[in-house]
Amino acid sequence: MSLLQAELIVLNGKHVTAILECVPDSAPLWRYWGPRLPDGVGPRAALSDVRPLPSFSLDYDQPLSVFPGLGVGWFGQSALLAHRAGEDWTFQATSCDIARVDAHTVCITLSDEVAHIEVVVSLSLDADTDVMTLSSQLTNKGEDVLDVQWLAAGALPLPQDASTVRSYSGRHNNEFMAVDDTLTRSIWRRENRRGLTSHDCFPGAVVTCADGTVYGAQFAWSGNHTQSIEWTDDGRYHWQMGEWLAPGEVRLAAGKSIQTPEMLATCATDPNGVAQNFHAAIRQRINWPSGTMKPRPVHLNTWEGFYFKHDLAELKALADSAAAIGIERFVLDDGWFEGRNDDTTSLGDWWPDPEKYPSGLKPLADHVTGLGMEFGLWVEPEMVNPDSELFRAHPDWALHINGRPQITARNQLVLDMTREDVLEYLFIKISYLLDSLPISYLKWDHNRDLTVAGARPLYRQQVHSAYALMAKLRTAFPHIEIEACAGGGGRIDAGIIRHTHRFWTSDCIDAVSRMTMQRAFLQFMPPEVMGSHVGTAPAHSTGRAQSMDFRAGVALAGHFGVELDVRQVQGQDCDTLKHWIAKYKAYRGQMHAGKLWMGDAGDNIVWQAHGNADDLLLFVYRMQPMGQRHMPTLRLPMLDASKTYQVEGAEYDGAWLKAIGLSLLHAKAETCQMLRIAAL
Ligand code: DGJ
């Protein structure tokens, strides 16, 4: 028997390989995506030659392709669900054009002359990060409107031994709660229909295989989404991510196109490898004001210390105390605009409250900058309170469907961001603030889920409009950094990071609760964009109290800040806080550019190491009292077995630390140790 030589597209990263098989006039088939194969290794034979037809099946075999279509021999989930008034509801390419953009990027144009649809699948495997970026663009080539119900950004294969999937659930004050599911022949699906990224359905997941290989994917989008994994007839699994579309949300007129957001996907030998790849990819996506990240300044955020009680003299005194302990950026949170004395009023009225700030914000902003700190301001542009000047003037600006109730959340409604006049209003109001005040930072909040998103569903356009407003403001004020916040961590994703520079991880700053959230956050996002603050004890969100050392030690793992009235921090606590601020400044360079490893040493000891394998900053956290008589040892798998390391003055063999581990001192519950591990 002579086998047909397969025509392959091979994309290689450093540690990852993707192989597609070209099939005449059809979407290329997925032959492989996983750990790096040696150069030149591939399937050789075409799949059709080595895959006999099963009994009682179609006399035509349709394996998993880069864009599987419904109705023409593929029985798994389709990458496209669309129709033209009940017609043209199947998709199968009748021609395929493959453009190799460069060694790592391929653009596959699939034209379906029957359904009059064209799809361009873009696929790029970045050689530096090992992250594959996928997206699809669909064009309606027909004459009538095409109703699109689903368009996958990417369709990826997972190996036969993929066994568990970890996704994330949560709520306000409790983000990033891991949900572990076993992969079976039932479809696994998570859907978010809240209109923004959401607290309860982070758009990303991590799959672990029986051989230990770990795959991760995240969807770069701040709106509704679906992620699903389905078993396929050859025993592999098939992973898709895309926008969840409301009925009628995408109705493409003749010649019109829709472009999906990107899906980022990678694989590695363990979850830390996946995290490191994602960190590198996210770092590439961030647009820093001057092109490169400057050291992440220590924040003071006024929210939990002051809430809506703004008093100019007190805030100035707060700024004095903040500057004295080394704080570098002062962020004035909610409560500064006219009438905003609680959360029932004034969203939309973006001018200073004349009672709290008789001469506007300038005296405070100048005072802050005069102390050498940056001045940041909280805004929530997409929102309006029914009790506001804005709503009284323009009730029709809030998203609504005539005849349906407008349901408030935190007493607020959502502006229709697709309206030019709304965008113009917001741009003018925010520009005025940025123009007239020395503001270099915006904390951009979004404190509710969307319900009715317009008479016609405008969910996805809301997101695009919010991105566009951020982009327009950043073009006009290129020095501005933006923090993405949505009632804490409701808008954390790889889409909005193109416009922003920090995430507010959660409104819960209880250090014990934060530990779980932060470690899950760090699976997808690098530490320098993880807003993490030292709050009060007891914590406002949980009522639990922890020592200053522990609170600061937990906050240090991200972009460090303080969220309390620092004037009240006295004596030993003040010295401790100053000490941690100084430590943060000493180590932020290493932590915000290096790699990250996280692990669990057992007996409620968790650890994370930042830097590179030759110079690590190790944080060891004891979360609960000792359950064993002796402390466990902490193995450091990233070290080089042939090297010697110095840890706090003592020398260790790398091989020993890797295999047996570092001996730890006794530690009480809710304590943090920070150690430096350096190769000699
Ligand atoms: C929710 C945010 O997460 C908080 O940090 C704070 O900014 C409030 N909104 C203000 O209303």
Side-chain angles (χ1 to χ4, degrees):
M1 181 175 86
S2 77
L3 297 177
L4 207 65
Q5 188 74 24
E7 193 191 325
L8 303 174
I9 301 170
V10 180
L11 304 176
N12 276 322
K14 277 202 212 81
H15 304 288
V16 175
T17 295
I19 301 184
L20 299 168
E21 179 184 330
C22 304
V23 185
D25 295 330
S26 290
L29 305 179
W30 269 119
R31 297 301 303 269
Y32 181 75
W33 172 48
R36 177 76 154 85
L37 299 176
D39 285 346
V41 169
R44 295 185 180 234
L47 188 57
S48 57
D49 267 359
V50 293
R51 179 162 131 135
L53 289 178
S55 60
F56 278 65
S57 294
L58 301 181
D59 299 327
Y60 162 83
D61 187 26
Q62 177 57 68
L64 176 62
S65 78
V66 287
F67 197 80
L70 173 72
V72 202
W74 174 251
F75 294 101
Q77 54 182 343
S78 180
L80 175 65
L81 295 174
H83 67 99
R84 214 174 259 114
E87 306 278 325
D88 297 336
W89 59 281
T90 60
F91 182 84
Q92 190 180 42
T94 50
S95 71
C96 170
D97 179 58
I98 298 171
R100 289 292 298 240
V101 178
D102 56 41
H104 303 285
T105 308
V106 61
C107 266
I108 303 162
T109 303
L110 305 167
S111 303
D112 182 339
E113 301 289 343
V114 177
H116 308 291
I117 293 169
E118 181 187 273
V119 173
V120 180
V121 175
S122 304
L123 210 146
S124 183
L125 176 52
D126 184 72
D128 294 327
T129 62
D130 283 326
V131 170
M132 187 147 63
T133 303
L134 304 106
S135 66
S136 319
Q137 187 190 52
L138 179 150
T139 304
N140 178 9
K141 296 282 189 180
E143 287 178 359
D144 299 323
V145 167
L146 186 74
D147 262 294
V148 181
Q149 183 195 326
W150 169 246
L151 175 63
L156 281 169
L158 286 166
Q160 282 101 325
D161 66 343
S163 51
T164 55
V165 54
R166 170 168 286 192
S167 61
Y168 300 86
S169 182
R171 62 167 171 87
H172 174 237
N173 273 335
N174 196 32
E175 291 83 344
F176 283 108
M177 295 297 110
V179 180
D180 290 321
D181 292 311
T182 303
L183 290 173
T184 68
R185 291 196 181 202
S186 304
I187 192 163
W188 175 87
R189 185 190 300 276
R190 294 289 312 268
E191 284 188 349
N192 163 45
R193 308 172 204 93
R194 291 181 184 268
L196 79 164
T197 319
S198 86
H199 295 85
D200 58 345
C201 194
F202 174 75
V206 172
V207 170
T208 304
C209 300
D211 73 353
T213 308
V214 181
Y215 291 77
Q218 54 179 316
F219 190 45
W221 181 239
S222 314
N224 294 327
H225 60 260
T226 295
Q227 33 178 344
S228 61
I229 299 176
E230 192 178 39
W231 189 81
T232 64
D233 282 325
D234 55 16
R236 290 185 297 173
Y237 291 86
H238 168 202
W239 201 351
Q240 289 192 4
M241 284 184 179
E243 285 177 65
W244 178 88
L245 299 173
E249 184 166 6
V250 174
R251 305 194 71 233
L252 286 183
K256 293 286 179 204
S257 299
I258 172 180
Q259 171 71 51
T260 68
E262 291 168 332
M263 174 181 183
L264 311 183
T266 191
C267 86
T269 49
D270 66 359
N272 285 324
V274 167
Q276 289 164 8
N277 294 349
F278 278 146
H279 294 180
I282 297 293
R283 283 173 177 158
Q284 286 179 351
R285 293 172 83 82
I286 304 176
N287 296 306
W288 295 105
S290 61
T292 45
M293 182 183 82
K294 64 176 188 185
R296 302 291 72 218
V298 180
H299 273 212
L300 182 286
N301 184 293
T302 60
W303 181 241
E304 286 207 356
F306 290 77
Y307 291 112
F308 299 99
K309 252 181 110 240
H310 289 207
D311 175 278
L312 183 57
E314 290 211 30
L315 288 166
K316 281 184 172 172
L318 175 73
D320 293 339
S321 304
I325 59 166
I327 282 165
E328 298 163 310
R329 183 184 271 158
F330 181 100
V331 182
L332 187 67
D333 210 287
D334 197 354
W336 60 267
F337 44 102
E338 179 153 15
R340 185 72 168 174
N341 296 317
D342 54 34
D343 66 10
T344 62
T345 73
S346 306
L347 290 171
D349 300 348
W350 299 117
W351 51 87
D353 184 282
E355 280 177 27
K356 294 175 187 168
Y357 299 99
S359 309
L361 291 176
K362 194 139 190 349
L364 178 61
D366 284 345
H367 185 78
V368 166
T369 52
L371 289 163
M373 293 186 289
E374 292 181 34
F375 183 68
L377 192 65
W378 179 94
V379 287
E380 196 180 359
E382 291 132 288
M383 299 296 155
V384 63
N385 284 117
D387 184 1
S388 66
E389 293 301 316
L390 180 64
F391 188 78
R392 281 184 280 278
H394 300 285
D396 53 323
W397 282 12
L399 286 172
H400 65 280
I401 301 181
N402 288 335
R404 299 267 180 225
Q406 272 175 309
I407 304 174
T408 52
R410 205 191 187 211
N411 311 300
Q412 61 200 55
L413 297 170
V414 186
L415 291 172
D416 180 347
M417 299 288 288
T418 68
R419 292 179 64 123
E420 277 306 317
D421 44 9
V422 169
L423 286 185
E424 189 60 16
Y425 171 83
L426 293 173
F427 183 75
I428 289 171
K429 287 288 174 243
I430 299 171
S431 299
Y432 181 74
L433 292 164
L434 298 180
D435 247 342
S436 55
L437 296 166
I439 297 174
S440 53
Y441 187 80
L442 288 176
K443 178 176 174 191
W444 189 303
D445 214 337
H446 184 300
N447 282 306
R448 63 161 293 173
D449 298 329
L450 270 56
T451 44
V452 294
R456 289 212 42 239
L458 298 173
Y459 293 104
R460 63 189 310 270
Q461 277 148 275
Q462 277 289 116
V463 179
H464 282 301
S465 297
Y467 287 171
L469 181 59
M470 287 178 184
K472 191 171 170 190
L473 284 164
R474 289 201 50 205
T475 305
F477 303 93
H479 65 289
I480 295 287
E481 286 189 16
I482 301 179
E483 171 170 1
C485 173
R491 195 150 64 171
I492 296 172
D493 61 78
I496 205 162
I497 199 66
R498 285 209 188 271
H499 306 282
T500 56
H501 310 91
R502 188 190 208 241
F503 294 114
W504 182 226
T505 315
S506 175
D507 274 354
C508 176
I509 41 181
D510 172 314
V512 171
S513 309
R514 264 303 182 107
M515 186 61 76
T516 314
M517 294 182 220
Q518 294 187 176
R519 289 162 72 82
F521 176 106
L522 292 169
Q523 181 65 58
F524 299 90
M525 300 287 168
E528 63 270 26
V529 298
M530 182 175 77
S532 44
H533 294 174
V534 175
T536 50
H540 293 193
S541 52
T542 63
R544 261 195 311 224
Q546 297 108 17
S547 69
M548 179 61 83
D549 260 323
F550 187 63
R551 281 176 278 155
V554 171
L556 207 79
H559 178 180
F560 188 88
V562 178
E563 189 162 335
L564 42 72
D565 184 350
V566 283
R567 297 172 306 168
Q568 314 293 330
V569 183
Q570 300 289 339
Q572 177 62 45
D573 265 359
C574 185
D575 292 342
T576 307
L577 183 56
K578 273 203 259 186
H579 162 81
W580 282 97
I581 289 175
K583 271 200 171 167
Y584 169 75
K585 289 180 181 172
Y587 292 116
R588 61 186 159 191
Q590 179 176 359
M591 295 180 61
H592 294 169
K595 289 188 177 176
L596 171 68
W597 291 263
M598 296 182 282
D600 186 334
D603 196 24
N604 283 299
I605 304 270
V606 292
W607 60 269
Q608 58 198 65
H610 298 253
N612 65 63
D614 276 351
D615 186 4
L616 287 171
L617 202 57
L618 175 70
F619 292 84
V620 185
Y621 301 101
R622 171 164 276 301
M623 304 308 296
Q624 298 288 336
M626 276 175 74
Q628 305 174 177
R629 283 175 192 266
H630 298 284
M631 291 283 278
T633 52
L634 193 158
R635 283 190 278 185
L636 295 160
M638 76 297 277
L639 299 187
D640 184 336
S642 65
K643 292 188 178 169
T644 305
Y645 291 85
Q646 190 158 60
V647 187
E648 305 295 301
E651 285 186 13
Y652 287 84
D653 293 325
W656 180 267
L657 292 180
K658 264 174 105 73
I660 289 88
L662 184 68
S663 303
L664 299 172
L665 296 174
H666 278 197
K668 292 235 159 71
E670 296 171 12
T671 54
C672 165
Q673 286 177 61
M674 196 172 141
L675 307 166
R676 187 104 191 242
I677 303 183
L680 290 175

